[in-house]
Amino acid sequence: MKRLVILKWWGFVAVLALLLAGCATPATKTEVAAPSPASAAERVARAMAVPGTFADLDPSSACLVEYQVLMNVYDTLTVYTPPGSADAVRPGLATAWETSDDGLKWTFHLREGVTFHDGAPADAAAVKFSVERNREKSTCAAYIYDAIDSIAAPDAQTVVFTLRYPAPLDLILASGIAAFIMSPAAAEKDGAWFNAGNDLGSGPYRIAQYEAGQRLVLARDPSYRDGWQEGQLDRVIFELIEDPVVAEQMLAAGEIDYVAASFMNDAQVAALAQQDHLRLDMTPSLSNELVLFNHRRAPTDDPRVRAALAYSFPYDEVIANTWLGKGTQAHGAVPVAVWGHDPDAPAVRYDPAKAKALLAEAGYADGLELTFTFDTQQRVTAELWQAALAEIGVTLKLEESEWMIRWENARSDPANAPEAYMISWLPDVVGPYTYLYNLFHSQEPTSFNLGFYSDPAFDALVEEGNVLSGADRAAAAEKFIAAQRMLGAGFDAIFIQDLPDPHLVAADLQGYVNVPGYSNGVFWVEVTR
């Protein structure tokens, strides 16, 4: 199977401000002026975006959080739904779908009369072309198509996928990574063309202006299939701002109307939430935080040391002092909001006496020194664990670094990589497979298994669960749960917390609904003021 190479979600966020603005003619894509002055005739969403939001605008190869832009420009066949919905996905470009009893054939029926922004029909041939292009060009998520054997377009509105083994194609084709449908004209376009600010989608917005690394502007597609209603946004402007203090000031001044709260610290968010013009929106997320142990070097190759470190972790204190205190202690690698999690797994509790005894048993009665790598946003967690470990004679050296730097350093030299690596994970396809496969399945070369865990029995359970998930989800869950219990028994990671998904939203912003399957992404066509 192909490996996933997708950057962790939480390091990139979009912060959006809704303003009243005047109509403007899109500037040349590669030479973009500042957004035009506003009049009361047009509604504009002004956004703050951090680095990575438009790193790659090719819908097939985009691997970071570009989906926050692309999900408003392109369609997927199906779309993830908010928490509490009756179904995991809703119709997108497809209006209905069915699968054979054996799960090896999926048939999708498409909306009629949909066209791409270049005028080409968004038909079955275009879907077939898009999936094949996505599978060919994606360097990060082509593996989601591993089950597909062939794709047929028997007529303009019908697409038939034949699979090599059962797979939940309705969930896979809703992914914000490598599942967008585009005009077949993309066959003649390269990444440079897309990254100049051009698009070939069928969504409600088009990329109207683009200045790499600074600004991206979305504008209504006047021919959008569902038409436009009073109050819907005419433009969405993403501005690149890297400083959380600047974001805080803009929110307080009413210049920003939406922010993923993970971009700021808890004190900033709590203060802003008290302001009348903002509200704090809090829903469960599909993300979790964990510490991966390096299995290729001492002392974390010893399960007794890993167990001691797990018992040394101050779970309650970390949860109380991060994420507004709204996280919940994790019971394993798969969050409780995701099907296939282990509902009966006991959570490891802070027990310094047990931790110290285990260290002595492993030959470290006099203590030891470890290195822990983490991102800036995780410093509170790192310092709390450092203090807890000091009480049992363990020195924790803190190594704070940008995600890309520490990711590349660790994966390039496993034998000398830090003993402990903190990571957050958000699924590309919602289900247990993405957590277990990407973080723990044997990998060579390493993508995101940065603890370098490898066990053929575990791999087999995960692969069997993946095959079963398309036809017998209950049987698949049993495999996935058995795999999670292997990780728990070996203390192969510290499962810290399942995260909340907090956002600050303007009080007068209507129609905003958080969909954790597209972390910090907003379907702006659904928003009004």
Side-chain angles (χ1 to χ4, degrees), residues 22-79:
C23 297
T25 302
T28 302
K29 303 293 177 109
T30 53
E31 297 182 6
V32 181
S36 58
S39 78
E42 187 183 36
R43 285 174 168 77
V44 175
R46 189 170 300 279
M48 190 200 87
V50 301
T53 304
F54 17 83
D56 182 0
L57 296 175
D58 186 321
S60 293
S61 59
C63 283
L64 307 181
V65 293
E66 297 95 343
Y67 64 80
Q68 295 173 4
V69 171
L70 300 179
M71 64 192 283
N72 293 286
V73 177
Y74 295 85
D75 283 304
T76 50
L77 285 185
T78 57
V79 181

Side-chain angles (χ1 to χ4, degrees), residues 288-460:
N288 54 3
E289 283 184 336
L290 56 161
V291 176
L292 301 176
F293 292 131
N294 191 334
H295 286 64
R296 293 196 189 175
R297 63 176 297 183
T300 45
D301 59 349
D302 187 329
R304 295 168 297 181
V305 173
R306 297 196 299 269
L309 296 175
Y311 284 116
S312 77
F313 197 89
Y315 301 92
D316 291 345
E317 194 175 4
V318 167
I319 292 170
N321 287 280
T322 60
W323 293 94
L324 303 172
K326 299 298 185 181
T328 56
Q329 186 172 350
H331 290 242
V334 180
V336 296
V338 178
W339 73 269
H341 72 275
D342 186 354
D344 300 318
V348 177
R349 304 297 298 170
Y350 175 59
D351 189 337
K354 179 178 281 190
K356 195 163 187 177
L358 283 163
L359 286 176
E361 180 183 331
Y364 297 98
D366 296 328
L368 72 161
E369 181 174 317
L370 303 169
T371 299
F372 179 39
T373 179
F374 57 93
D375 292 329
T376 300
Q377 296 93 329
Q378 298 162 337
R379 173 159 283 278
V380 170
T381 296
E383 291 178 347
L384 289 172
W385 191 28
Q386 182 185 50
L389 281 171
E391 295 180 5
I392 61 171
V394 175
T395 299
L396 189 67
K397 178 184 176 183
L398 302 186
E399 189 177 273
E400 178 182 320
S401 180
E402 294 181 3
W403 164 258
M404 282 293 294
I405 294 173
R406 68 192 191 92
W407 175 64
E408 187 56 46
N409 287 344
R411 66 193 293 262
S412 64
D413 189 9
N416 294 301
E419 293 91 347
Y421 190 108
M422 189 167 175
I423 191 169
S424 297
W425 194 257
L426 182 81
D428 43 8
V429 176
V430 177
Y433 182 67
T434 184
Y435 303 89
L436 300 174
Y437 181 82
N438 288 294
L439 297 176
F440 297 101
H441 191 284
S442 302
Q443 296 176 8
E444 193 60 49
T446 296
S447 293
F448 292 96
N449 180 356
L450 296 165
F452 315 107
Y453 175 83
S454 182
D455 187 319
F458 173 88
D459 294 350

